[in-house]
Amino acid sequence: MEVNKVISIILILAIFGIFSCTYDQIEPQVDCTTSPVEMVLIESKDAECSSSNGSFSVAASGGELPYTFSSEAGSNSDGVFSNVAAGTYNVIVKDAKGCSSELAVTIQNLGGVNLDDITASEAGCGSANGSIQVAVSGGEEPYSFFINGGAAQTSNVFNGLDAGSYSITAIDNLDCEVKSNVKITSGVSYQSSIKGIIETNCAISGCHNGSVSPNLTSFSSIQSSANRIEARTANRSMPRGRTLTQQEIDMIACWVDDGALQN
């Protein structure tokens, strides 16, 4: 009789271990919404044609000191960037907790070609349907366009692109050039795709509905845990006791790579 009781207890514990969420806890991420980091442009100086004599400075507030500033022009702790060429710079500031903010700063090309607008279309998850269209003015025609340092083309449109970051360069007939980095997203929607996956498989009774940290019933919590969710679903250690399709795993990865947007 005692043996049967022991066996029953072992079976109960085994079943609990298989179907519970105990081993699927995600380490809570830093909440950056309580004191968000913000950044503003203080001043900028345009660059002369084919010269790196432009500059700009930014300042941050909020979050937790110290700050680290980075862009295509390098990184520093004071937000001052000197000796930069014409182009658009994506500046990122991070505080001591890893919370961040981004700001695009454009340095014009004095007397040369300038980028007026760049339009990027979505690529799709796992597809190469993205495109980039560049609008330029100034300098002397004809213009040449380059993507990621590749061969020159006279067309201002680049097609057949995967999701990811691209470097676009425009050069005029005087050899003045201007550069900008462009990001193409997959376009995976949180509302129509990701939310349902989380609600059905993760934010369920006994798991991330409040029973286990983090509580994945709110978007802010899902967003702050996005990188961990991507990693755990990719190695199939999450969700516990359930199986996601490869398409669902890929969509989560694409959504996170896009920036975990509330789209």
Side-chain angles (χ1 to χ4, degrees), residues 144-193:
S144 297
F145 301 92
F146 305 79
I147 186 168
N148 289 347
Q153 66 178 55
T154 56
S155 172
N156 64 332
V157 179
F158 300 92
N159 293 310
L161 303 177
D162 297 308
S165 296
Y166 296 88
S167 176
I168 303 297
T169 303
I171 300 180
D172 67 9
N173 197 45
L174 299 174
D175 285 334
C176 294
E177 70 175 54
V178 62
K179 295 182 179 181
S180 181
N181 288 333
V182 185
K183 183 176 182 179
I184 291 181
T185 62
S186 69
V188 171
S189 168
Y190 169 77
Q191 294 293 340
S192 62
S193 299

Side-chain angles (χ1 to χ4, degrees), residues 104-139:
V105 177
T106 298
I107 300 299
Q108 295 290 337
N109 209 352
L110 297 175
V113 60
N114 283 294
L115 293 171
D116 295 331
D117 187 45
I118 298 181
T119 303
S121 66
E122 297 170 348
C125 186
S127 302
N129 297 323
S131 66
I132 296 174
Q133 182 170 343
V134 185
V136 298
S137 63

Side-chain angles (χ1 to χ4, degrees), residues 11 34 45 59 64 67 72 74 81 84 96 101 108 124 144 154 164 174 187 190 205 219 221 232 235 256 262:
L11 288 173
T34 55
K45 174 189 174 185
E64 183 177 308
Y67 300 126
E72 294 84 351
F81 296 86
V84 300
S101 179
Q108 295 290 337
S144 297
T154 56
L174 299 174
Y190 169 77
S205 178
F219 172 77
S221 183
R232 296 294 296 275
N235 65 24
V256 174
Q262 192 174 12

